Amino acid sequence: MQIADLRIFLAVASAGSLSAAARQLDIGPMQVSRRIAVLEEELSVRLFHRTTRSVALTAEGEALLPHATTMVEAENSALGELRPSATKASGLLRLTAPSVFGQTIVLRLLPTLLEQHPELRIELDVSDRVVDIVGQGLDLAIRIATLGDSELVARRIAANPRVLVASPRYLQQRGRPRTLGDLEGHDCVVLQAVPRWPFVVDKGLQRIRVNARITTSNVATARSAAEQGLGLVMLTYWDVQQQLRDGTLLDIGLEDAAMEDLSVWAMTPTRRHVPTRVKVFLDALEQELARLR
């Protein structure tokens, strides 16, 4: 059975005549009659008693009525959930984001986003590991790194340069490094993923091994260690933007080296048929980062 034929069947049953159903559906009466005949042929039953002025359901038509209603309503529900709206997001948005960025930036977006889009649901994976978004069936990944070769579609959301920071207490006790050479005399908190610190020297990238007093796999742990005065740490701007604003960490600019420029990237599986829920989320994220910058 075709859903379109069931819609016509329901219209005829409701209107009580072929011509009234045709006007309701904005199609010709002959088309209504043909489609009802096709439906009766497929089911091998007569659905309507016909007179010159009206039609009435047969017993078989009465039996079909609730099933036809259920099938048409199911199709309407599916189309409403799957067909994108230009402004309203719905359904389940599945995304992954780095731990600190997810906890401090992404979570901040959700109350307003969910209030504006009550049909939207969020499944957020907060992790510093690189997730296979296609294999995991995710809509979106937020990444803060130099991008390698990938078949994913990348959209730049905001600048996110690396920054070298330390607590005021540490700098007061140990002094402020001025050059790359000064780093040799300082304790450092190092991420396992970045064992050598990258610096831009004479427009070229140099990776410097530092005195890793503490090594950790977690960005939040590295940041907390630096706040407690345990050493210098190199993170990205959005990992420490709040601490830089409130003064618990201070930016250290070296005289003979610059910091590596990175970006916040949004990775999606494809450019085609991007769900409204992804577009709405990314627009909100860009606005939030612009406001905080």
Side-chain angles (χ1 to χ4, degrees), residues 42-44 146 249 251:
E42 288 178 345
L43 296 173
S44 300
T146 302
L249 291 175
D251 189 358

Side-chain angles (χ1 to χ4, degrees), residues 14-292:
S14 174
S17 76
L18 299 180
S19 58
R23 288 193 297 272
Q24 179 182 321
L25 297 170
D26 195 24
I27 59 177
M30 287 299 296
Q31 185 176 353
V32 171
S33 181
R34 282 197 304 269
R35 297 318 304 172
I36 293 296
V38 168
L39 188 57
E40 290 177 328
E41 182 67 24
E42 288 178 345
L43 296 173
S44 300
V45 296
R46 189 172 181 81
L47 298 173
F48 293 101
H49 296 298
R50 295 172 176 82
T51 69
T52 56
R53 294 189 176 182
S54 65
V55 296
L57 287 167
T58 64
E60 291 78 10
E62 292 281 3
L64 176 62
L65 191 62
H67 299 292
T69 301
T70 299
M71 294 171 71
V72 169
E73 288 179 349
E75 184 194 53
N76 291 340
S77 177
L79 289 175
E81 183 168 342
L82 297 175
R83 187 172 286 160
S85 163
T87 57
K88 288 297 181 182
S90 62
L92 178 63
L93 173 63
R94 303 185 67 219
L95 72 149
T96 181
S99 57
V100 170
F101 190 86
Q103 293 164 16
T104 60
I105 303 298
V106 175
L107 282 178
R108 187 182 316 196
L109 298 176
L110 299 191
T112 300
L113 193 66
L114 293 174
E115 182 179 354
Q116 293 173 344
H117 303 276
E119 300 300 316
L120 180 65
R121 293 173 292 126
I122 305 289
E123 183 177 303
L124 174 61
D125 172 49
V126 177
S127 172
D128 290 323
R129 62 191 176 90
V130 177
V131 177
D132 177 6
I133 67 173
V134 175
Q136 296 295 320
L138 302 181
D139 296 303
L140 174 68
I142 303 300
R143 291 185 178 164
I144 302 175
T146 302
L147 298 183
D149 293 336
S150 173
E151 295 181 355
L152 301 176
V153 178
R155 170 177 166 181
R156 186 178 183 273
I157 301 297
N160 190 33
R162 295 190 191 275
V163 286
L164 182 62
V165 298
S167 70
R169 181 176 66 175
Y170 177 88
L171 295 177
Q172 184 178 16
Q173 293 175 345
R174 301 290 298 274
R176 191 185 193 101
R178 302 292 179 182
T179 66
L180 281 177
D182 291 343
L183 296 181
E184 295 180 4
H186 284 271
D187 296 333
C188 298
V189 180
V190 175
L191 288 171
Q192 291 176 356
V194 191
R196 292 175 179 267
W197 284 359
F199 292 93
V200 178
V201 180
D202 297 328
K203 298 183 179 180
L205 195 65
Q206 293 187 14
R207 300 188 183 276
I208 308 299
R209 184 173 292 279
V210 294
N211 177 28
R213 189 76 183 272
I214 296 174
T215 301
T216 178
S217 62
N218 184 266
V219 171
T221 300
R223 184 183 63 190
S224 179
E227 288 179 286
Q228 294 177 49
L230 298 179
L232 312 176
V233 67
M234 179 183 286
L235 296 171
T236 62
Y237 172 78
W238 289 108
D239 292 328
V240 293
Q241 48 89 25
Q242 181 62 50
Q243 289 70 27
L244 290 174
R245 275 204 297 272
D246 62 28
T248 55
L249 291 175
L250 301 178
D251 189 358
I252 301 170
L254 300 180
E255 297 171 356
D256 58 350
M259 307 306 297
E260 183 183 24
D261 282 332
L262 297 177
S263 296
V264 179
W265 295 93
M267 312 296 293
T268 55
T270 178
R271 297 183 193 277
R272 299 180 65 248
H273 306 306
V274 177
T276 301
R277 59 184 177 271
V278 172
K279 297 176 183 177
V280 163
F281 174 82
L282 291 180
D283 288 345
L285 179 59
E286 285 185 323
Q287 292 171 15
E288 178 70 6
L289 295 184
R291 184 184 69 81
L292 291 174

